[in-house]
Amino acid sequence: MSDRATFLSTIQRALGKLEGRPVPVAPSPESGLSVAPANLIREAALVRDAMARDAGPLLDALAETARKGSWVVTRAGTHEDAADAVADICRRTGISTALRSTEDIFERVPVDRTLASAGVSLKVMARLQGGAEDATGSARAALRQAAFTVEAGITGGDYAIAETGTLVVHPRRGLSRLISLAPPRHIAIIERGRVLPSLDELFILERETLLRGELPSSMNLISGPSRTGDIEATIVQGIHGPLEAYLVLVG
Amino acid sequence: METSPADFKKSAVRAIADPRLQKALEAVYNGFYKNRLTAAAATDRWEEQREQGRAIKAHVIGNLDFYLDMLATNVEKNGGRVFFAADVADANAYVLDLAKARGVRTVIKSKSMVSEEMELNHALESVGIEPVETDLGEYIIQLAKEPPYHIIAPAIHKSKEQVADLLAEQSGGTRFERAEDLTRQAREQLRPAFQRADMGVTGVNFAVAESGSIVIVTNEGNGRMATSAPRIHVACMGMEKVIPSVRDLGLFLRILIRSATGQRISTYVSMINGPRKPQDEDGPDEFHLVIIDNGRRRLLADAALRESLYCIRCGACMNACPVYRKAGGHSYGSVYSGPIGAVVTPGMTGKKSANTLPFASSLCGACREACPVKIDLPRMLLELRRQAMEGGAEQPGDVAKLRDDGGGLKQGRDDRKSVQDVSTLAGKQREVSRPGKKSASLADRLMWKAWRFGMTGRGRFDAGARLGRIVLKPFSRRGWVRRGSPFLGGWTVSRDFPLPAERSFKSRWQKRMMGRGVPQ
């Protein structure tokens, strides 16, 4: 018998059930599993409507919770202002090398231009990819090296969460896992209309993605700079991830 | 520093006498405990969410075969591999074989209590593979060669000075003073390990059955490092960590994190849905999920202890426990300490030496109140005391009588049947299982008989109290019988005994009410 069959039999014996292939059970009514796919799609549509309808108040709420979570928050009226804000952060903190992801947002927020004029040498993610070997072998090593050597990682985000001051990132082509983690500073830009009220809405959207068969390989929720309280319970900012985290809100 | 649960008393006495340790333990209360209360008060529908979390866990644990099967199927669908390990030997063998087959030389580890159960570091070292703990607390205790002190804060017992010494030794000299500098120093020491490691080993906070995902909660970012930089990711989980739906994560993250540290959310929550996809920039090429039993089946089979598997490992029960906060984590001599440790350690291992732990509690109920999924820890501690007195093993007949609170066993008949099966299972697996009916000594039984006789008659009770005063009076001072009195020797070892009052409450009440009639 396979390790799985043996293991499941042991559990079935302990539970006093018949051994064999597990018999499907009706989901508990308290669990999200009990929400039928058709209803979930409706729920997800409502979440998107609310995200657009309440965009202003949600962005304000995010600014407040993000500050409490030790993000350094900057509000920018326009995309141009946001690009200036990113350059300002680099000037202020003496950042001279940065790595940015390739995401839609950078088509609207011209950081390449403002960073060049601030004298920051900027590497752009997707251009690091080699040809056939892609993110394996030497390309992987180069990427890892870049993320570990630059002074800042610059990204957008798929959503933000007002309840918790959280940036939601799904790593993918053009957006590595390490870019928001390994450099000592992380600068993230999020636009009005991308803010969800709470974790619950995020996981409604994630479940919808799952049911569509499009779940990406990972998701990161980021809520401020890396921190630890492991030495005498003193909270210190900056252990394995960024020492400082900047959130630029647009709109 | 090997300790055994059997030495709880001795270890606790040592811990209580250590002022530095007592000061460190105060931080548990002033930090985690108070922060949790504040966070709970600031959360909408907190009580309702605890109930909901409990209901979901009860359903999952009652149907664990089904949900683990669903989880494994979906992990494999996502391109990951699942290994079911009956015990730590199986789990270690799987990880070591994999590491050897892939030519792994360095393993970075993110915090995992299951890997502590496995003693994985030791196993890796034994075959010449370098394990590096990356959670700062775990790193500190790895350098100190000690087990974790607390689930959430493994090195809470170490002073800044001790940490400074350990880190300085590692760096060859530079010794810092401030927590900020020490943290920076550890960052610099660990960076190269992240870059050179071929394998990352992590724990699992939640595994989601419907999506085949695992979720890791950290503040430091080491969990993300371990799942981003190396080419192989191995996640180790206890079999109870599964939840049904992606949609349930909002609730569970909320109650876990707010109960653990009182934060609204931890800095990082990573959801891993398998190995990297071809188009991804980075991430592991391989994802392995090791699901471990290691005695949890014993908790599952015992209807009276089953709810201990609802635990989401937040540590709130330890922070709330007056015994843990004085005796400290190491006194328990087991991987899991505090009230939940006192239940699962004897429950999982069935070892007699662990029978001391259920007695290391005042049964005050603070743990039950703190638990985010309302696990009735005091009830289980009492049950384990009973089992310990009756010979250390659950008795089939008694288990059947005990109430199960809905962990999926809906029919009483099934319940009884399960117990039959358990007994055959237990017969195979357990070394000793002797009937415990006659285990109380003759002296004990006589004493209880006399007690009962005295307590069941009003006149006898009053006479007893008067007699008690007369006997104890010469040995009391200012109304208290203290340590060293010839009577009540056992009782007065750790607390004083009040001398029965000259006039009982009853007689005072009678006198006061005389002539006033019966109060309405």
Side-chain angles (χ1 to χ4, degrees):
Chain A
M1 255 202 310
S2 69
D3 55 289
R4 176 164 165 182
T6 315
F7 194 97
L8 295 180
S9 294
T10 308
I11 289 176
Q12 286 164 337
R13 275 201 304 278
L15 285 170
K17 288 186 174 186
L18 291 174
E19 291 175 46
R21 272 211 68 74
V23 181
V25 293
S28 137
E30 286 87 0
S31 165
L33 204 60
S34 64
V35 179
N39 291 340
L40 185 85
I41 287 164
R42 263 198 300 281
E43 277 186 335
L46 290 176
V47 167
R48 286 199 190 82
D49 289 350
M51 188 161 65
R53 191 184 57 235
D54 305 330
L58 285 170
L59 196 67
D60 293 342
L62 172 67
E64 199 186 319
T65 50
R67 279 198 187 98
K68 281 189 195 155
S70 303
W71 285 97
V72 180
V73 177
T74 311
R75 301 202 59 166
T78 66
H79 290 114
E80 287 284 336
D81 292 349
D84 287 337
V86 172
D88 269 353
I89 293 165
C90 292
R91 258 191 229 105
R92 229 174 35 236
T93 53
I95 291 168
S96 61
T97 55
L99 177 66
R100 83 150 168 83
S101 59
T102 300
E103 290 175 79
D104 291 354
I105 184 123
F106 296 110
E107 289 164 20
R108 299 184 290 280
V109 180
V111 292
D112 296 13
R113 179 162 53 73
T114 58
L115 286 175
S117 59
V120 177
S121 136
L122 183 70
K123 289 185 177 132
V124 178
M125 200 80 227
R127 291 186 201 147
L128 285 170
Q129 283 192 343
E133 57 170 5
D134 231 22
T136 57
S138 64
R140 167 184 289 262
L143 185 64
R144 191 158 24 176
Q145 207 46 40
F148 277 103
T149 50
V150 295
E151 293 161 283
I154 305 174
T155 71
D158 299 313
Y159 305 105
I161 302 171
E163 176 195 13
T164 50
T166 301
L167 179 78
V168 181
V169 175
H170 295 89
R172 53 181 176 266
R173 178 180 287 276
L175 174 60
S176 79
R177 299 183 188 206
L178 287 169
I179 188 171
S180 56
L181 180 68
R185 291 192 175 82
H186 177 207
I187 306 172
I189 309 167
I190 197 94
E191 291 170 289
R192 181 189 159 96
R194 304 303 299 170
V195 187
L196 295 162
S198 81
L199 290 166
D200 297 318
E201 286 78 16
L202 171 70
F203 288 110
I204 289 175
L205 297 184
E206 283 301 297
R207 183 153 192 252
E208 187 202 35
T209 315
L210 168 75
L211 295 180
R212 281 206 313 264
E214 294 167 5
L215 201 67
S217 61
S218 70
M219 173 173 76
N220 282 309
L221 310 190
I222 303 172
S223 308
S226 138
R227 75 196 89 192
T228 180
D230 277 345
I231 301 176
E232 292 194 348
T234 312
I235 304 297
V236 177
Q237 229 172 276
I239 167 74
H240 301 306
L243 314 172
E244 285 165 14
Y246 296 85
L247 191 60
V248 178
L249 306 180
V250 193
Chain B
M1 235 200 56
E2 280 298 303
T3 52
S4 152
D7 302 325
F8 181 87
K9 261 193 188 165
K10 260 195 285 176
S11 311
V13 166
R14 261 203 312 276
I16 290 164
D18 182 341
R20 201 188 45 70
L21 210 51
Q22 290 302 312
K23 192 164 164 281
L25 284 164
E26 267 173 37
V28 168
Y29 182 76
N30 290 323
F32 294 144
Y33 179 75
K34 290 186 179 165
N35 291 347
R36 176 181 58 81
L37 294 181
T38 314
T43 304
D44 289 340
R45 303 186 304 113
W46 178 252
E47 287 305 312
E48 207 181 312
Q49 296 192 62
R50 287 173 74 195
E51 291 288 353
Q52 196 184 343
R54 179 180 174 84
I56 296 173
K57 286 299 279 192
H59 170 78
V60 172
I61 297 301
N63 297 287
L64 195 56
D65 56 330
F66 173 68
Y67 284 103
L68 284 177
D69 190 50
M70 189 197 283
L71 173 68
T73 302
N74 287 320
V75 170
E76 282 163 7
K77 207 169 94 190
N78 294 341
R81 281 200 53 189
V82 180
F83 179 71
F84 284 95
D87 53 31
V88 295
D90 279 5
N92 281 325
Y94 182 80
V95 178
L96 293 189
D97 287 349
L98 178 69
K100 281 189 271 186
R102 302 292 191 273
V104 169
R105 276 171 305 188
T106 303
V107 171
I108 48 171
K109 283 185 63 205
S110 165
K111 223 176 112 36
S112 157
M113 292 307 287
V114 165
S115 77
E116 294 289 340
E117 280 179 52
M118 291 161 64
E119 298 183 60
L120 179 61
N121 291 354
H122 182 74
L124 288 167
E125 278 165 356
S126 73
V127 295
I129 296 170
E130 175 199 28
V132 183
E133 291 287 356
T134 59
D135 172 89
L136 179 57
E138 294 279 352
Y139 179 58
I140 292 167
I141 60 166
Q142 189 185 21
L143 294 179
K145 300 188 172 58
E146 285 178 26
Y149 206 79
H150 184 283
I151 293 193
I152 306 297
I156 190 80
H157 62 302
K158 290 282 174 210
S159 70
K160 225 167 13 190
E161 291 69 31
Q162 288 173 308
V163 174
D165 290 339
L166 289 165
L167 294 178
E169 197 179 317
Q170 201 63 11
S171 286
T174 331
R175 192 176 181 286
F176 293 98
E177 305 274 323
R178 297 167 44 226
E180 291 77 9
D181 299 324
L182 292 167
T183 302
R184 211 55 33 86
Q185 187 178 24
R187 176 187 172 98
E188 298 310 321
Q189 287 176 7
L190 286 166
R191 282 259 148 166
F194 286 126
Q195 287 174 276
R196 72 167 179 271
D198 313 285
M199 181 187 274
V201 173
T202 70
V204 171
N205 290 103
F206 301 107
V208 184
E210 71 165 336
S211 61
S213 317
I214 62 143
V215 175
I216 304 171
V217 172
T218 76
N219 277 312
E220 300 187 356
N222 56 323
R224 286 184 66 196
M225 277 288 185
T227 59
S228 300
R231 60 191 159 90
I232 304 161
H233 173 202
V234 178
C236 302
M237 63 178 266
M239 67 185 196
E240 77 283 9
K241 286 291 178 78
V242 61
I243 61 171
S245 172
V246 171
R247 185 99 147 56
D248 302 330
L249 279 169
L251 168 87
F252 278 110
L253 286 171
R254 206 174 278 127
I255 60 175
L256 169 69
I257 297 165
R258 293 175 198 207
S259 301
T261 59
Q263 291 168 288
R264 249 191 310 269
I265 191 167
S266 58
T267 304
Y268 302 114
V269 175
S270 306
M271 184 168 168
I272 309 290
N273 311 317
R276 66 182 278 267
K277 301 216 159 142
Q279 66 272 21
D280 288 352
E281 300 285 346
D282 52 8
D285 300 320
E286 294 180 44
F287 172 68
H288 300 258
L289 180 61
V290 178
I291 303 174
I292 190 167
D293 173 344
N294 195 29
R296 286 165 174 79
R297 63 179 171 272
R298 301 171 56 107
L299 298 171
L300 191 64
D302 189 335
L305 302 180
R306 185 177 296 166
E307 68 170 306
S308 61
L309 294 172
Y310 304 173
C311 175
I312 57 176
R313 302 278 188 266
C314 67
C317 61
M318 308 174 185
N319 305 335
C321 177
V323 175
Y324 177 93
R325 287 196 324 242
K326 285 288 160 194
H330 282 170
S331 297
Y332 292 80
S334 56
V335 173
Y336 301 102
S337 57
I340 189 69
V343 170
V344 301
T345 306
M348 277 167 64
T349 61
K351 279 191 191 148
K352 284 229 163 114
S353 62
N355 282 346
T356 50
L357 298 185
F359 293 88
S361 165
S362 64
L363 300 177
C364 70
C367 48
R368 178 177 49 205
E369 214 159 281
C371 178
V373 288
K374 299 194 170 182
I375 298 174
D376 195 345
L377 287 155
R379 181 186 59 74
M380 289 189 287
L381 290 167
L382 266 177
E383 164 64 18
L384 283 161
R385 289 181 185 188
R386 188 190 66 78
Q387 290 186 9
M389 294 318 282
E390 290 189 351
E394 72 263 52
Q395 302 300 309
D398 293 331
V399 175
K401 273 182 248 134
L402 282 157
R403 181 180 60 88
D404 171 55
D405 78 335
L409 293 175
K410 282 155 209 99
Q411 310 94 330
R413 229 165 254 294
D414 266 13
D415 204 338
R416 216 141 302 150
K417 181 173 153 291
S418 85
V419 164
Q420 288 307 316
D421 290 352
V422 171
S423 63
T424 31
L425 177 76
K428 274 185 242 150
Q429 289 170 345
R430 204 168 295 127
E431 332 70 277
V432 241
S433 178
R434 64 187 169 85
K437 288 218 176 71
K438 300 264 178 191
S439 60
S441 71
L442 180 69
D444 270 2
R445 274 179 291 140
L446 281 176
M447 202 187 79
W448 285 115
K449 267 198 177 147
W451 177 260
R452 183 177 165 166
F453 178 73
M455 294 298 282
T456 49
R458 182 76 237 182
R460 293 194 292 272
F461 177 84
D462 290 343
R466 279 195 299 274
L467 181 68
R469 181 175 167 85
I470 292 162
V471 172
L472 292 172
K473 184 104 202 292
F475 306 102
S476 70
R477 252 187 333 135
R478 295 200 203 108
W480 292 92
V481 182
R482 288 162 209 264
R483 193 171 180 164
S485 129
F487 299 102
L488 297 168
W491 177 281
T492 53
V493 164
S494 53
R495 58 251 195 251
D496 297 340
F497 186 84
L499 187 68
E502 198 170 348
R503 277 174 43 229
S504 71
F505 176 79
K506 188 184 159 219
S507 72
R508 289 175 64 167
W509 181 258
Q510 269 172 343
K511 190 168 177 211
R512 206 179 143 86
M513 286 300 138
M514 204 113 66
R516 289 199 203 173
V518 181
Q520 295 300 306

